Amino acid sequence: EEILLDLLRESGPDAVFVFAYPYRIGPQVLEALDGRIYNVHTGPLPAYRGPDPLFWVLRNRETRGGLCIHRMEADYDTGPILHQAMLPLAPETTYGLYMSQLAHVAVGATEAAVEMLSQNRPPRLLELETDTARYYRRPTPEELRIDWNAPVAETLALVLAANPVYGGGAAFFKGARVQILQLRQGGASEEQAQPGTVLGLSDQAIVLQGSSNTLLALDLVRTEVGYFSGARFAAVFQLQAGDTFE
């Protein structure tokens, strides 16, 4: 905190914008800037407070994401909003793609925020509604693990939300941990197998039984020894119909 205070004394900024700063800003810095410090939060507020809103926006299957530039306060992601920018989310958006899109949005949003602060009048700030506020922590290993009995839409959303920053949705095959990076929904299954059961191969993908008699196509898998297409994984790990991902 002393280092930050020294920098502020030397530079005397009109305003400070914080991007992905991994530490909590201390009370002395907040007091020194007297409301002139703003956080660029990569998620809608107040619904997605916390350190990784990108994951949870995708995991919860939201159709829109965005970022908020808000005044920093002592608590996380609670200050009033100076500027916000929203963007639609396509159904197959991964974490990495969403982050790339937000990086482009952040440039224009920050320029707009600077323009607002440069006016010869106090900026209009939007107070956050407390009734829709929710704080999301980073996902735990349990929350990153695929539940093959869950609705297919939730399974697909988890895989997208975990790709690539968390390595994919976690599963186990023959006792070894694997991570699913690309999974697609197929048609209806005529089999009576348990969800996660291997039914065969099709077009380089592993065909799995999903929940509610739905077929799933597994295209890309990460293991401790490398990344594999579905067909290559099947050959390397001697996959057979009836095997299961757990």
Side-chain angles (χ1 to χ4, degrees), residues 54 62 80 87 104 179 245:
L54 287 83
E62 299 285 2
L87 74 158
H104 289 286
Q179 291 175 283
F245 285 83

Side-chain angles (χ1 to χ4, degrees), residues 54-233:
L54 287 83
F55 174 87
W56 293 107
V57 164
L58 294 174
R59 179 67 181 85
N60 293 341
R61 293 179 284 153
E62 299 285 2
T63 57
R64 292 203 311 161
L67 59 81
C68 289
I69 300 177
H70 68 95
R71 179 180 287 166
M72 293 192 74
E73 295 183 344
D75 203 359
Y76 290 118
D77 308 323
T78 56
I81 294 172
L82 172 65
H83 182 75
Q84 57 186 334
M86 305 298 290
L87 74 158
L89 289 172
E92 300 301 319
T93 300
T94 64
Y95 185 111
L97 181 57
Y98 182 26
M99 183 167 56
S100 176
Q101 293 170 343
L102 280 181
H104 289 286
V105 171
V107 174
T110 305
E111 290 175 345
V114 169
E115 177 63 25
M116 294 172 67
L117 293 174
S118 66
Q119 303 297 317
N120 293 323
R121 60 180 183 275
R124 296 182 60 183
L125 301 179
L126 176 65
E127 295 292 339
L128 298 180
E129 298 178 1
T130 57
D131 57 342
T132 58
R134 182 168 181 183
Y135 183 92
Y136 287 91
R137 65 191 182 284
R138 294 189 187 279
T140 64
E142 292 76 18
E143 290 169 327
L144 291 168
R145 183 168 178 179
I146 294 173
D147 177 3
W148 298 101
N149 290 296
V152 167
E154 291 188 11
T155 301
L156 297 178
L158 170 59
V159 171
L160 292 169
N163 180 6
V165 68
Y166 293 105
F172 285 85
F173 182 75
K174 295 182 179 179
R177 188 174 187 270
V178 298
Q179 291 175 283
I180 310 301
L181 283 161
Q182 187 167 314
L183 191 68
R184 295 177 287 118
Q185 181 174 345
S189 173
E190 298 180 357
E191 303 293 333
Q192 299 299 316
Q194 290 293 319
T197 300
V198 175
L199 302 180
L201 293 175
S202 177
D203 297 328
Q204 300 298 306
I206 300 170
V207 180
L208 301 175
Q209 178 83 6
S211 63
S212 302
N213 292 322
T214 301
L215 294 175
L216 293 171
L218 196 169
D219 295 307
L220 185 61
V221 187
R222 177 188 181 187
T223 75
E224 290 185 350
V225 294
Y227 294 78
F228 299 93
S229 68
R232 183 61 180 158
F233 179 91

